[in-house]
Amino acid sequence: MDLVIPQLKRILISSEPPSDDDFVVPAIADIGPKDVDGVDYFYFRIMTPKRMLSILNEDKIMDGRATFIVKEFNLDLVEKEINKILEDCIRYSI
C-alpha cells in the first residue's frame, strides 16, 4: 500500500476584493497527490463577517459550506488553513 499525501498546488481567485472588510471572493484550490502532476479542483469562497451578515439580513439563511470567513483578505492564511485540512486527509491507498 502506498501513502497518499494530498498537496495544495495552487489557489486561484477571480479577482482581488474590492474592499478590506466587506467582500466575498470565489476561489479554486488545485489539490492533488504529492509528486503527481494531476489535480482535482475544489471550489470555495472567502468572505468577511460583514458580507456574511449582509447576506443573512437579505436572505435569512446562508449555506456556509466551502466558505472561509476571514477578518481581512490574506491568501497565505487561507492556504495555511487548507493545508491543515489536507493533513487530516493523508491515507494509504488500497
Side-chain angles (χ1 to χ4, degrees):
M1 287 190 283
D2 293 324
L3 189 62
V4 177
I5 302 172
Q7 181 180 42
L8 175 63
K9 312 265 178 141
R10 176 174 66 166
I11 296 176
L12 297 172
I13 58 170
S14 61
S15 63
E16 292 291 321
S19 164
D20 288 337
D21 69 341
D22 185 8
F23 66 83
V24 60
V25 176
I28 303 169
D30 296 356
I31 298 173
K34 189 175 180 179
D35 301 324
V36 175
D37 288 336
V39 298
D40 287 312
Y41 303 110
F42 294 87
Y43 297 85
F44 65 98
R45 59 188 172 176
I46 306 166
M47 177 185 305
T48 59
K50 190 173 185 178
R51 179 56 60 97
M52 182 181 69
L53 288 174
S54 146
I55 292 169
L56 288 172
N57 284 332
E58 186 173 321
D59 298 340
K60 308 298 183 227
I61 190 168
M62 185 183 84
D63 179 1
R65 186 171 187 226
T67 303
F68 290 95
I69 301 169
V70 298
K71 185 174 180 178
E72 60 190 30
F73 187 76
N74 182 333
L75 211 48
D76 290 334
L77 192 60
V78 173
E79 184 176 335
K80 283 181 186 178
E81 193 65 24
I82 291 171
N83 282 323
K84 285 193 315 191
I85 294 167
L86 293 178
E87 285 178 14
D88 289 336
C89 298
I90 296 171
R91 60 178 167 48
Y92 284 98
S93 66
I94 298 175

